[in-house]
Amino acid sequence: MASTLKVLGVLFICMSISSCATLLNKRQSVITFQTSENVDYVFKGDTLVHENTNKFAGVYRNKKQPITLTFINKDYERQINIRPKKVGLYYLNVFSPYWLGFGVDELTRRKWTYPKNVFVNMEKGSYLPYFPMDTSMVLNKPNRLSLTPLAPLGNQHPGIELSYQRALGIKYAAQIAYKQFIPAQSDLAKNATGFSLGLELKRYYRNTTNSRFYLSANLEYLHKNHEAVLRYSEPQDFIQQEEPVAIWSLIGIEKRFISMVPRFGIEYYLTKRLLVDGYFGVGLRYRNVSHKNTPHGLVLSATYWEWFDIEYDSNRPTQSFSANLDLNFKIAYSF
């Protein structure tokens, strides 16, 4: 009997320590409520919770059922059901042995939590699980100038990039970006001249107190001329045994790109006017690369295996499509 109890005890301990939410999630949630206008009374069932306020906090035990509160003022009487959600720790159970943690959290019902902030719209009779941004921050300052601080760095397309954005209401915006290329000490931007011009349309999906989340589509045209020292050699067939004669030559390269990239971005307001705009996207690019003053009778050849020769792959003559990656951020000022 004693040995059986020991086995059961060890099994219980093993299952418990494999459960993330049961161990780490709190039994109660502290919720801060804010209403779109002042309310006279707030009831939970028949109990008066608060009165004459538009912001208050409460402590509620985490469970599967929603929290039902009634908000009353002279114009509206709204019953709001605050739905629970699964705590992020619950999904870490994928790393527990045999996924036992999911079963433990189901039995203990410790996987539930409530949003920390709740905004109640009295006119619509609905709520948001976060505090929304003050719309005046966007509508009263619809213009924005941005600088891309990392644009001058690197050897691929260094330059000075400036952007102008115009808000089209609270949910949409259009942005134009111009980049003037500058030379760099590499065969990807030697004596570089030219520009890129981009047009981006944004759709905002969530505006919290200091952050805005958006999806966008960015269309960009790149017009760039530069020089590069590339390796040329005699055409070689499979029967030829001797190493072909190779020369290095300084040539001119013309690049004309057209890119279309969907992006996901986050704008974070440092102040009411200054913000950071970070984005990521993967799209498609049409590449048109041509050479000037190439050695007669010779062909371009890779210095290394061509998959690892970035200068060869980027500078080789082509008219083709390729994937395009966007990952950067802007510092912006709205006015």
Side-chain angles (χ1 to χ4, degrees), residues 243-296:
E243 184 72 19
V245 176
I247 66 169
W248 295 86
S249 180
L250 178 67
I251 64 166
I253 300 177
E254 295 180 346
K255 293 179 177 178
R256 309 292 184 262
F257 297 166
I258 299 177
S259 306
M260 172 60 76
V261 180
R263 291 173 173 174
F264 167 75
I266 302 174
E267 297 177 358
Y268 184 80
Y269 281 74
L270 303 173
T271 68
K272 291 186 177 181
R273 293 183 181 273
L274 187 66
L275 64 134
V276 179
D277 179 2
Y279 55 87
F280 166 79
V282 178
L284 195 64
R285 166 177 285 176
Y286 173 74
R287 306 176 74 252
N288 185 346
V289 183
S290 59
H291 290 185
K292 298 184 295 183
N293 59 284
T294 57
H296 181 70

Side-chain angles (χ1 to χ4, degrees), residues 196-214:
S196 67
L197 186 64
L199 174 62
E200 182 178 15
L201 297 178
K202 294 182 176 181
R203 168 63 161 92
Y204 293 92
Y205 286 90
R206 179 169 173 169
N207 298 333
T208 65
T209 306
N210 295 316
S211 304
R212 305 182 77 197
F213 299 81
Y214 67 87

Side-chain angles (χ1 to χ4, degrees), residues 149-214:
L150 298 183
L153 307 180
N155 294 323
Q156 184 77 5
H157 300 302
I160 306 299
E161 183 176 273
L162 297 175
S163 307
Y164 169 75
Q165 178 172 307
R166 174 73 181 185
L168 306 175
I170 192 66
K171 291 186 177 180
Y172 297 92
Q175 181 170 238
I176 298 176
Y178 177 83
K179 184 175 184 179
Q180 182 68 44
F181 294 120
I182 58 177
Q185 296 301 316
S186 77
D187 286 320
L188 298 174
K190 189 187 299 292
N191 297 323
T193 60
F195 66 93
S196 67
L197 186 64
L199 174 62
E200 182 178 15
L201 297 178
K202 294 182 176 181
R203 168 63 161 92
Y204 293 92
Y205 286 90
R206 179 169 173 169
N207 298 333
T208 65
T209 306
N210 295 316
S211 304
R212 305 182 77 197
F213 299 81
Y214 67 87

Side-chain angles (χ1 to χ4, degrees), residues 92-240:
L92 294 178
N93 286 319
V94 295
F95 301 106
S96 65
Y98 306 104
W99 289 10
L100 289 175
F102 288 109
V104 175
D105 287 343
E106 291 293 338
L107 292 173
T108 61
R109 299 182 180 181
R110 292 287 297 277
K111 63 180 181 178
W112 299 106
T113 188
Y114 293 103
K116 294 181 179 180
N117 298 315
V118 172
F119 177 81
V120 178
N121 189 313
M122 293 296 292
E123 182 179 357
K124 296 181 179 179
S126 60
Y127 81 94
L128 297 172
Y130 55 87
F131 292 158
M133 176 177 288
D134 182 359
T135 57
S136 64
M137 292 179 63
V138 177
L139 299 180
N140 293 348
K141 306 176 186 66
N143 303 293
R144 180 188 300 176
L145 289 178
S146 304
L147 174 69
T148 308
L150 298 183
L153 307 180
N155 294 323
Q156 184 77 5
H157 300 302
I160 306 299
E161 183 176 273
L162 297 175
S163 307
Y164 169 75
Q165 178 172 307
R166 174 73 181 185
L168 306 175
I170 192 66
K171 291 186 177 180
Y172 297 92
Q175 181 170 238
I176 298 176
Y178 177 83
K179 184 175 184 179
Q180 182 68 44
F181 294 120
I182 58 177
Q185 296 301 316
S186 77
D187 286 320
L188 298 174
K190 189 187 299 292
N191 297 323
T193 60
F195 66 93
S196 67
L197 186 64
L199 174 62
E200 182 178 15
L201 297 178
K202 294 182 176 181
R203 168 63 161 92
Y204 293 92
Y205 286 90
R206 179 169 173 169
N207 298 333
T208 65
T209 306
N210 295 316
S211 304
R212 305 182 77 197
F213 299 81
Y214 67 87
L215 293 177
S216 69
N218 185 65
L219 177 65
E220 181 182 80
Y221 172 71
L222 180 146
H223 184 285
K224 179 181 177 181
N225 298 326
H226 68 96
E227 296 177 338
V229 178
L230 299 180
R231 183 178 186 268
Y232 285 83
S233 62
E234 297 174 335
Q236 186 180 16
D237 55 40
F238 290 103
I239 302 177
Q240 186 175 349

Side-chain angles (χ1 to χ4, degrees), residues 57-77:
V59 180
Y60 301 89
R61 187 176 180 84
N62 293 326
K63 53 186 179 179
K64 186 177 181 179
Q65 292 73 28
I67 299 170
T68 301
L69 297 177
T70 303
F71 297 79
I72 303 173
N73 65 10
K74 62 179 181 179
D75 296 318
Y76 305 103
E77 180 176 336

